[in-house]
Amino acid sequence: MIISCAKPIDQIVVWARLSALVVYILFGGNVSVYAQLNKSKPVYPGQIWPDNNRNHIQAHGGGIIKVGKIYYWYGEERAKDLDTNYRYVSCYSSKDLVNWKFRGDVVNMTDPEKLGARWVLERPKVYYNKNTKKYVMYFHLDNRNYKTAKVGVAVSDKPNGNFKFLKSFRPLGQESRDIGQFIDDDGSAYLIFEDRPAKGFRIAKLNDADYLSIEKEMCLIKAPLEGGAIVHYNGLYYAIGSALTGWRPNPNKYATAKTLEGPWSEFVDIAPPQTNTYGSQSTMMIKVSGTKSTTVIFMADQWRPQTQWDSRYLWMPLQIGNGKLWLPEPKPWQLNVKTGEWSYLNKKSK
Ligand code: GAL
């Protein structure tokens, strides 16, 4: 009543006061929340992560590359009710690593090599080759029993596909199951792969010219680990891997080395072992070097084998440095991709 009787200028004042009251009720009058509103959207580890279409992101066992100012996140598309004859890899793009735009299923492929029903395409990783200007995707290619143990390679002119299947092979002639991706500060590109018979995981350098083959072996790390991820931080290499327990989480571990060739230190826990890495499995580490700080994000999957489309992502900044690495207890957090700083999301002022 008061509002409808008031003159236009009074109405504005009343609306402004009401809006202020609503904001005060919502945020408890916490000034720092206003500041936070200017920051990026928070990351909620383990919760539904909506893309620009409000669909839960489908990029499981994924990997991220940055080309120019854009991050691309590729991963297994496991949406409900997909055609079971096909395997799909989805692509998302972002400028801040938090708001992701769905760019489509950049691989939609039938069995390329008579692998049979329930053939496997997992853990896709994409590299951008500056010489050929092509996007080169590696993925784990297998039959239903995981006995084929190869990598598949697919190539595209654009980040958002379509990627065309090129070939498959066993890197260095060895069995290869879970793969990981590492790009060093000098731009060199590496494939990490689990070699079951050797009871370890290998780091192999991709051929600089086109990334379509392996140039040389850097190391066989004699530890039976998969979900391999590497980061180069303050002059030291840190490698993370998970134990071989299928979809079930286990205590992931890390080791360090001064060079990729090693020697590597003993593998030790990245989190309290009873948490089984907070129910997750490593897939990658992302280094965000900003104007003020460098943050290394642990990127992992919380698999839900019976409802794969609902598998979640656990992303948390790591405590890292001087040879130590630790995954803090997952809680909502915010990243400033420009400064490289991160902070927990504080809802209430203290
Ligand atoms: C995990 C692996 C996943 C998937 C799964 C199948 O060990 O990391 O990528 O292959 O096994 O059981």
Side-chain angles (χ1 to χ4, degrees), residues 61 76 78 120 122-123 140 146 178 196 226-227 242-247 281-282 303:
E76 298 158 22
R78 291 182 178 271
V120 167
E122 288 178 343
R123 296 185 176 267
H140 174 193
Y146 290 90
D178 276 10
R196 197 72 48 97
E226 60 182 11
S242 96
L244 312 177
T245 58
W247 301 120
Q281 183 188 23
S282 54
W303 299 108

Side-chain angles (χ1 to χ4, degrees), residues 126-139:
V126 173
Y127 303 82
Y128 174 65
N129 186 282
K130 283 188 181 145
N131 301 316
T132 59
K133 297 196 167 50
K134 298 220 187 273
Y135 294 80
V136 180
M137 181 186 295
Y138 277 74
F139 48 81

Side-chain angles (χ1 to χ4, degrees), residues 95-145:
K95 281 187 178 164
D96 61 11
L97 285 168
V98 182
N99 294 284
W100 292 96
K101 183 176 179 194
F102 181 56
R103 305 293 296 268
D105 288 332
V106 297
V107 167
N108 51 0
M109 195 168 97
T110 51
D111 180 353
E113 296 187 336
K114 299 205 173 80
L115 294 158
R118 292 172 60 191
W119 65 282
V120 167
L121 188 167
E122 288 178 343
R123 296 185 176 267
K125 304 284 177 288
V126 173
Y127 303 82
Y128 174 65
N129 186 282
K130 283 188 181 145
N131 301 316
T132 59
K133 297 196 167 50
K134 298 220 187 273
Y135 294 80
V136 180
M137 181 186 295
Y138 277 74
F139 48 81
H140 174 193
L141 183 65
D142 227 317
N143 67 350
R144 63 190 291 177
N145 299 321

Side-chain angles (χ1 to χ4, degrees), residues 252-263:
N252 291 191
K253 294 180 185 294
Y254 81 95
T256 60
K258 284 189 183 138
T259 65
L260 287 175
E261 289 92 335

